[in-house]
Amino acid sequence: MLLAALTEKLTPVITSLGLPESCARVTVADRPDLADVQCNGALQGAKALGQPPRAIAEKIVAAIKEDAQLSGSFSDITIAGPGFINFKLAPSYLAAQLTVQSGDKKFGFVVPPSKKILLEYNSPNMAKDMHVGHLRNTMLGDAVKRMLQFSGHNVITDNHLGDWGLQLGQVFSELQRQQPNLPYFQDMDGPFPSEAPMTFEELCVIYPLASKKAKEDPAELARAQDFTAQLHNGHKGLRALWQHIVTMSVADIKKKLDEIDVESMDTWYGESYMEQYIPMMMDELAKKNITEEIDGAIGIQVAQPDDKFDIPPLILAKKMGGVTYGATDLATFYQRQKDFDPDVCIVLTDFRQELHFERVYRAAKRAGYADRMEFVHLMYGTINGNDGKPYKTRAGSTPRFEELVYLSFDKARERLKEIKLNEKLSPEEFEATARQIGLASIKFGDLINHRRSDYIFDIDKFVSFEGKTGPYIQYTAVRINALLAKAKEQGAQSGRIAVDEHQHEVALLLLQFPEIVLEAATQYAPNILADYLFRLAQGVNRYYQNVHVLSESDAEKRGAALAFLQLSARILTQGLSLIGIMVPTKM
Ligand code: ARG
């Protein structure tokens, strides 16, 4: 990888001058107008050596220049300001590196030591329709998964369905009111109908109604709680009804994931699966004196002396009986350690669960359920409307998961009709293209932001072929692919990569690809990759406008340009796929 390789090259020079190895670090130049890469080692080492940084920098530069092999990689080395060393990379060096890169499946990516990573995302609450928050969660989770897999990690994805909570009791209660004669409410062993008594759409209407009633009326709430307890206690009919709801919900979720090109998760344990471990867990923790009675409930103290504010204990069992969300998640740590023993466990939720997971993780540490495992809670901000407040539909409600997706498809269709693509593509191709562009709009519009930031959902901006957008990058790749296809038709061969002044900027970016992916994956920050892809697309477009590949009569030059463009398109395509975006054939 470019920066690592340059750092390695400088290391012997740096250490021979008595500077620590860390001073050899090469980074991308802060001032791209002056240099390609830079080394700040002279400034960092000045104290240790007791010499002015500029004098050290001069020594470093002199030593590099003495070494013909080393200095051959650079076309210019200068010292700037107090002692920054600026390097311009030699065209021959860039060309040689690009040649190696183009022959490598991973474009020069050196895989780090492989980790086993359990990645939990999507995880909606059952019987409730997924909403816009789940969309952000899922796009982010999918991009993180793709980047980690590219990095060679063993990623196990888990959908931790909220399939065991009060919302089910609420649905049962309302359903009984609507259809009192259903067999599920009777005390019998079965058999129960194999068909669900309602469709998923009907179910999604029942829940909000039931939840409203429970909020307004304590008696309703008690009824729902009672139903939930009966479900937990194994009531046969309620279990059968519950099974219908699980089946319907999972099918609906899988359909929606598919709609946004997100692969189904490897496991779907859900909260209910953890139930089996809770009695054993409570026993064990009580025996080890890890749990204690807190105001009549049972919980674990998780406060630490250096906490900046009060961290309340994690309550596992309520005064009135019944397990808590905390107990279920503690059992989830137990199950994950037992069944997977991952190096890292990652959970995606919004900020509201920050304190919850902080406490659960602390409790898991105390309980011995996270001995080796590093825990990462990836939290994300909200998708806002133009007013800067959480996005609402015209009717004033929180948009459902698919509403924004379909909106993006509509906008993409409009956009494609404007450029008359409907006349050039079959209806199926047109639809597929609109879909890919729509998805690129919302995925890139989301992932270009750091996950913690809120952002404004501006579909007209997101779907544009110009500006910092997914379709702009797709379009860049499509254009190059079209040019490459034309060249092929004309019999023009791609040849040996050479780097001229028009290509310099792009060459430098292409070679950064592996280190950008590594950084984005390590920080779980697809925005780093998204931003890079935008800069790369801009550079490629500038280059593309400056050269006339097809009319170039010098075969060697033409071949070099074609090889260069081919590599650019491949890296754009690979990069986009790591954030879940596909490149259409035409647009
Ligand atoms: N079902 C929860 C919700 O929709 C998210 C689950 C988060 N993961 C967990 N292990 N508790 O808010």
Side-chain angles (χ1 to χ4, degrees):
M1 300 199 273
L2 180 73
L3 300 172
L6 290 170
T7 301
E8 202 173 302
K9 271 174 182 280
L10 286 195
T11 303
V13 171
I14 294 289
T15 50
S16 73
L17 292 170
L19 290 159
E21 215 178 297
S22 61
C23 290
R25 187 155 167 256
V26 173
T27 54
V28 173
D30 294 333
R31 291 274 310 265
D33 50 330
L34 299 181
D36 295 333
V37 295
Q38 68 184 63
C39 172
N40 301 348
L43 290 138
Q44 285 153 17
K47 245 214 181 122
L49 239 55
Q51 290 171 26
R54 230 187 135 92
I56 302 175
E58 274 157 19
K59 280 189 198 155
I60 297 176
V61 173
I64 295 173
K65 287 193 171 153
E66 250 168 52
D67 182 337
Q69 224 212 327
L70 178 57
S71 59
S73 306
F74 309 110
S75 59
D76 194 25
I77 311 176
T78 50
I79 300 171
F84 301 109
I85 308 173
N86 281 334
F87 300 89
K88 275 237 166 240
L89 296 171
S92 57
Y93 177 76
L94 290 172
Q97 298 305 309
L98 288 174
T99 305
V100 175
Q101 185 179 40
S102 70
D104 184 50
K105 271 208 314 263
K106 290 201 169 193
F107 304 103
F109 186 89
V110 179
V111 294
S114 173
K115 290 183 186 168
K116 192 196 269 186
I117 302 178
L118 193 134
L119 175 63
E120 181 212 302
Y121 57 108
N122 188 246
S123 305
N125 286 333
M126 232 175 55
K128 300 188 200 176
D129 206 3
M130 285 202 283
H131 58 73
V132 50
H134 297 106
L135 183 63
R136 186 162 196 192
N137 178 313
T138 309
M139 295 188 294
L140 177 63
D142 183 56
V144 168
K145 174 190 108 167
R146 288 166 183 264
M147 296 192 309
L148 291 174
Q149 277 179 339
F150 184 83
S151 307
H153 299 302
N154 171 9
V155 185
I156 303 149
T157 55
D158 182 40
N159 199 330
H160 188 78
L161 277 187
D163 59 358
W164 207 231
L166 179 66
Q167 81 268 27
L168 291 154
Q170 292 173 333
V171 168
F172 295 159
S173 167
E174 182 58 30
L175 194 66
Q176 192 192 38
R177 187 166 297 120
Q178 295 181 5
Q179 302 185 49
N181 296 327
L182 285 176
Y184 307 101
F185 302 116
Q186 262 114 63
D187 269 323
M188 59 177 207
D189 286 343
F192 298 101
S194 58
E195 287 290 309
M198 71 296 211
T199 65
F200 184 72
E201 285 65 36
E202 284 162 355
L203 178 65
C204 292
V205 179
I206 295 179
Y207 172 72
L209 196 73
S211 146
K212 190 164 167 268
K213 285 189 186 164
K215 257 185 215 135
E216 285 164 0
D217 182 357
E220 273 304 318
L221 180 64
R223 222 169 101 87
Q225 279 164 340
D226 183 53
F227 267 115
T228 313
Q230 286 188 56
L231 170 73
H232 290 179
N233 293 336
H235 185 283
K236 292 258 170 22
L238 294 182
R239 287 278 172 125
L241 182 54
W242 173 78
Q243 196 55 58
H244 284 310
I245 300 181
V246 174
T247 308
M248 274 192 303
S249 298
V250 170
D252 178 75
I253 296 165
K254 286 191 176 168
K255 194 179 93 203
K256 285 173 180 157
L257 293 177
D258 196 49
E259 236 154 6
I260 61 166
D261 284 350
V262 168
E263 255 180 15
S264 173
M265 289 75 197
D266 300 322
T267 60
W268 289 72
Y269 287 113
E271 289 177 12
S272 62
Y273 186 79
M274 306 307 157
E275 179 78 358
Q276 60 186 303
Y277 302 117
I278 293 179
M280 176 280 305
M281 175 178 96
M282 296 303 288
D283 268 3
E284 184 188 271
L285 297 180
K287 272 199 205 107
K288 290 191 184 158
N289 280 324
I290 292 172
T291 43
E292 58 192 77
E293 209 189 296
I294 302 165
D295 293 335
I298 297 173
I300 303 186
Q301 298 291 354
V302 292
Q304 284 164 6
D306 51 355
D307 285 339
K308 301 217 164 49
F309 54 92
D310 266 356
I311 307 268
L314 183 75
I315 300 299
L316 303 180
K318 291 182 241 178
K319 214 188 274 184
M320 325 285 293
V323 295
T324 63
Y325 187 47
T328 307
D329 266 330
L330 189 57
T332 306
F333 268 92
Y334 167 83
Q335 182 260 343
R336 286 177 178 168
Q337 176 168 279
K338 173 174 81 67
D339 291 351
F340 299 106
D341 192 22
D343 299 289
V344 189
C345 171
I346 306 173
V347 170
L348 274 77
T349 77
D350 65 23
F351 285 100
R352 285 172 296 184
Q353 301 198 36
E354 182 166 21
L355 187 58
H356 169 74
F357 275 106
E358 177 63 34
R359 288 149 72 214
V360 176
Y361 182 50
R362 287 183 185 195
K365 279 267 169 216
R366 283 198 62 190
Y369 299 163
D371 290 337
R372 236 171 43 76
M373 167 194 322
E374 179 197 344
F375 175 68
V376 179
H377 187 192
L378 292 186
M379 288 174 278
Y380 47 84
T382 51
I383 302 183
N384 290 338
N386 281 325
D387 57 358
K389 299 206 185 92
Y391 192 92
K392 289 276 176 328
T393 61
R394 278 213 193 114
S397 57
T398 302
R400 297 160 52 174
F401 183 89
E402 66 275 25
E403 264 174 283
L404 298 188
V405 177
Y406 293 163
L407 179 64
S408 79
F409 293 172
D410 287 344
K411 290 283 177 181
R413 282 188 206 103
E414 259 173 44
R415 186 75 196 83
L416 291 180
K417 280 185 187 151
E418 273 164 34
I419 55 168
K420 305 221 177 330
L421 210 68
N422 49 332
E423 292 166 17
K424 291 190 207 130
L425 298 178
S426 73
E428 297 77 38
E429 282 172 331
F430 178 82
E431 229 0 76
T433 307
R435 201 179 149 268
Q436 280 165 344
I437 293 172
L439 290 178
S441 317
I442 54 174
K443 289 186 183 183
F444 191 89
D446 183 290
L447 296 170
I448 188 68
N449 303 287
H450 188 270
R451 63 171 182 274
R452 299 181 74 96
S453 317
D454 300 340
Y455 69 88
I456 291 180
F457 185 86
D458 183 347
I459 190 62
D460 291 307
K461 190 173 110 190
F462 292 176
V463 82
S464 168
F465 288 11
E466 280 147 42
K468 211 172 193 174
T469 70
Y472 169 73
I473 304 171
Q474 284 178 313
Y475 187 55
T476 308
V478 168
R479 258 170 67 172
I480 303 175
N481 287 336
L483 178 116
L484 293 171
K486 217 178 218 167
K488 204 168 165 196
E489 255 170 47
Q490 298 179 0
Q493 303 270 341
S494 93
R496 261 172 62 117
I497 294 185
V499 174
D500 67 18
E501 78 273 15
H502 296 301
Q503 291 160 323
H504 192 97
E505 168 205 19
V506 176
L508 189 64
L509 281 168
L510 291 173
L511 291 173
Q512 284 171 48
F513 176 73
E515 276 162 324
I516 291 281
V517 174
L518 184 66
E519 194 191 342
T522 310
Q523 295 187 29
Y524 314 112
N527 62 300
I528 294 175
L529 178 56
D531 181 72
Y532 162 84
L533 291 170
F534 173 66
R535 288 184 286 127
L536 178 60
Q538 274 185 315
V540 170
N541 277 316
R542 270 194 290 269
Y543 168 64
Y544 186 90
Q545 270 147 27
N546 275 320
V547 290
H548 303 283
V549 188
L550 293 178
S551 54
E552 173 62 61
S553 54
D554 182 330
E556 204 169 309
K557 277 194 189 158
R558 193 179 56 219
L562 287 173
F564 186 74
L565 283 171
Q566 201 160 39
L567 178 60
S568 305
R570 280 170 61 207
I571 291 192
L572 283 172
T573 306
Q574 173 72 77
L576 284 175
S577 91
L578 295 183
I579 52 174
I581 297 176
M582 308 301 140
V583 174
T585 23
K586 277 208 185 108
M587 71 187 269

